[in-house]
Amino acid sequence: MNTRRDFIKKTTVGATGLTLVGMPSFGLSNVLGANDRLRVAVIGVRSRAKAHVIAIHQDPNAQILYNCDVDDVIIEEHNAWCQNNIGYVPKVEKDFRKILEDKDVDAVFIATPEHWHAPMAIMAMQAGKHVYVEKPCSHNPYENDLLVAAQNKYGKKVQMGNQQRSAKTSIMAMADIKNGVIGEAYKAEAYYSNNRGSIGKGAEISVPKTLDWELWQGPAPREAYRDNIHPYNWHWFRNWGTGEIHNNGTHEIDISRWALGVDLPETVTSFGGKYTYDDDWEFVDNQQVTYTFPGDKFITWTGHSRGMMKPERPGRGVTIYGSKGTIELDRNFYKLYDLGGNPIKFEFENSVSATTNTQGIGGLDVDHVKNFFNAIRKDESLHAEINDASISTMLCHLGNFAQDAGHSLKIDTKTGKVLNNDTVMENWKREYEKGWEPKL
């Protein structure tokens, strides 16, 4: 059996946090012809995009043509980072719409604030581009449906950034579950734990001259600029973000769905609240959601945004329960136990992927991007194609709906819509700034 010590010996993170021994590579032997070269743009480049850039750079037949961001300070930092980490600086464009006009761009990587994910992805498909969009793929259920409809209409490849779908250990675990190694899988516990500080109470200030606040807001109704929104805390404001269940829960809820072989739930119940700081945070900061599915299966998601889970356990992961055993999964390992809790098999990824920081750089990104590129070049099946990935996103929307409603919700398992509750369904679609609503 592999041990944790063996695992650590195999993988070391360099001083920059970017050098991973054993990180998978596309391989120079896979250099393709000119017609297979892919030219891409990365949109929103402060944090998560750096994982995209590292992964894209592993492919010798891919080139980043553009870095795009609405903040000049972020662009300058990212340009320097690119020079140091990939050896060149792509062209810079502040307005992504100009990038979509460039016929040389084959695909876009979207790592913007969440209110831009679906509208930008739809516009990119309409411009003939393939799309890699970070999770969650939508800000509200209406966008979720619209994004799927757009992919079906325009026929472009759309991969969501739930990169654990490309983890070799997770793929192995799913094959074992299918083959009955833990018997009938009936329950999945997903969890995420962090200790985020207060975001304070924002003061209205002048928009920095380096920031295009109008374009940053895009489809969202206009608000005055405040000093605690950009560049990260927008996650906790409903006008732009979707809370922790989307920000991080999407990953583990998605893996739970995959393990149990379920889609949309029959019921959703959520308990939680905002228990820590008196600040502008607009979502719950601790939450417990339970989803029930046909076949007597259920998923729970426990989110601790501000206050680490104890006793000590990894910062995120999934435990899958079956009639004959249990499986623990995270981005870096697969652990199989019998009903008595005795270890049967431990498997580890060849390279470590970060789990709780804002970049999440690691080997899984390389595998996920490789799958995306192979889908474009060779019509390989996507590991997180948007028709399926959107279902995991919908579960997160329903978790927020149930929390806001304060009671259990009954769900149409074909559409995801809430049954017999017009009040909740009023939030199916957001209000858009005039002229910015996404359309097919």
Side-chain angles (χ1 to χ4, degrees), residues 249-351:
T250 309
H251 288 290
E252 280 68 42
I253 290 171
D254 177 66
I255 297 301
S256 298
R257 274 192 54 238
W258 191 16
L260 297 188
V262 296
D263 290 324
L264 291 167
E266 293 180 320
T267 68
V268 183
T269 306
S270 178
F271 298 95
K274 181 181 171 183
Y275 297 108
T276 50
Y277 305 104
D278 179 18
D279 61 5
D280 285 343
W281 188 296
E282 294 178 352
F283 292 92
V284 294
D285 56 19
N286 282 270
Q287 186 177 18
Q288 178 84 40
V289 184
T290 300
Y291 304 89
T292 67
F293 299 87
D296 201 25
K297 298 181 179 183
F298 65 106
I299 292 171
T300 64
W301 183 73
T302 301
H304 284 253
S305 298
R306 306 202 278 195
M308 300 300 291
M309 294 173 67
K310 300 292 181 180
E312 194 65 41
R313 65 193 300 186
R316 66 189 317 152
V318 177
T319 305
I320 303 132
Y321 296 87
S323 57
K324 296 180 180 179
T326 303
I327 286 175
E328 290 183 338
L329 285 175
D330 82 353
R331 295 178 181 181
N332 296 311
F333 65 72
Y334 156 32
K335 299 179 181 180
L336 172 65
Y337 303 89
D338 65 18
L339 284 178
N342 302 302
I344 299 174
K345 178 171 69 173
F346 286 4
E347 299 286 348
F348 297 95
E349 291 292 314
N350 293 328
S351 62

Side-chain angles (χ1 to χ4, degrees), residues 202-205 213 223-230 237 240 280 282:
E204 185 175 331
I205 61 173
W213 180 235
E223 291 191 13
Y225 185 79
R226 303 189 296 282
D227 62 5
N228 66 344
I229 296 171
H230 176 70
F237 293 88
W240 311 292
D280 285 343
E282 294 178 352

Side-chain angles (χ1 to χ4, degrees), residues 63-298:
Q63 180 186 7
I64 302 171
L65 287 188
Y66 291 97
N67 287 334
C68 181
D69 203 283
V70 295
D71 190 322
D72 293 335
V73 173
I74 290 172
I75 278 288
E76 289 179 8
E77 180 277 331
H78 186 68
N79 286 346
W81 182 93
C82 283
Q83 185 63 56
N84 290 334
N85 288 278
I86 65 172
Y88 70 95
V89 178
K91 292 184 286 187
V92 170
E93 181 51 66
K94 206 166 184 176
D95 189 335
F96 78 95
R97 293 170 294 187
K98 295 181 181 178
I99 290 174
L100 299 187
E101 294 172 358
D102 189 337
K103 296 186 184 302
D104 287 337
V105 175
D106 301 302
V108 298
F109 286 71
I110 299 171
T112 62
E114 292 162 1
H115 69 288
W116 258 122
H117 286 187
M120 192 176 290
I122 291 167
M123 292 172 70
M125 282 186 277
Q126 290 169 334
K129 318 301 183 188
H130 302 286
V131 177
Y132 185 113
V133 59
E134 269 304 322
K135 53 79 220 159
C137 64
S138 63
H139 181 268
N140 55 79
Y142 169 78
E143 289 181 354
N144 220 43
D145 290 344
L146 197 65
L147 181 58
V148 172
Q151 193 282 323
N152 291 333
K153 178 177 180 179
Y154 300 111
K156 310 310 291 185
K157 303 296 183 182
V158 183
Q159 176 104 300
M160 192 168 83
N162 42 340
Q163 63 270 22
Q164 194 174 333
R165 284 278 182 148
S166 291
K168 293 178 177 62
T169 53
S170 292
I171 292 170
M172 181 188 302
M174 299 309 157
D176 284 352
I177 291 171
K178 187 175 181 180
N179 290 330
V181 71
I182 60 171
E184 183 67 25
Y186 61 88
K187 174 186 177 182
E189 291 177 342
Y191 63 90
Y192 174 82
S193 179
N194 209 330
N195 192 23
R196 304 184 187 278
S198 173
I199 65 171
K201 295 186 177 181
E204 185 175 331
I205 61 173
S206 299
V207 178
K209 294 181 180 179
T210 56
L211 174 66
D212 187 337
W213 180 235
E214 172 67 18
L215 190 54
W216 189 99
Q217 293 183 93
R222 296 299 179 258
E223 291 191 13
Y225 185 79
R226 303 189 296 282
D227 62 5
N228 66 344
I229 296 171
H230 176 70
Y232 186 79
N233 289 333
W234 53 263
H235 281 288
W236 322 122
F237 293 88
R238 290 178 183 261
N239 202 26
W240 311 292
T242 52
E244 197 75 89
I245 192 171
H246 281 279
N247 183 40
N248 278 295
T250 309
H251 288 290
E252 280 68 42
I253 290 171
D254 177 66
I255 297 301
S256 298
R257 274 192 54 238
W258 191 16
L260 297 188
V262 296
D263 290 324
L264 291 167
E266 293 180 320
T267 68
V268 183
T269 306
S270 178
F271 298 95
K274 181 181 171 183
Y275 297 108
T276 50
Y277 305 104
D278 179 18
D279 61 5
D280 285 343
W281 188 296
E282 294 178 352
F283 292 92
V284 294
D285 56 19
N286 282 270
Q287 186 177 18
Q288 178 84 40
V289 184
T290 300
Y291 304 89
T292 67
F293 299 87
D296 201 25
K297 298 181 179 183
F298 65 106

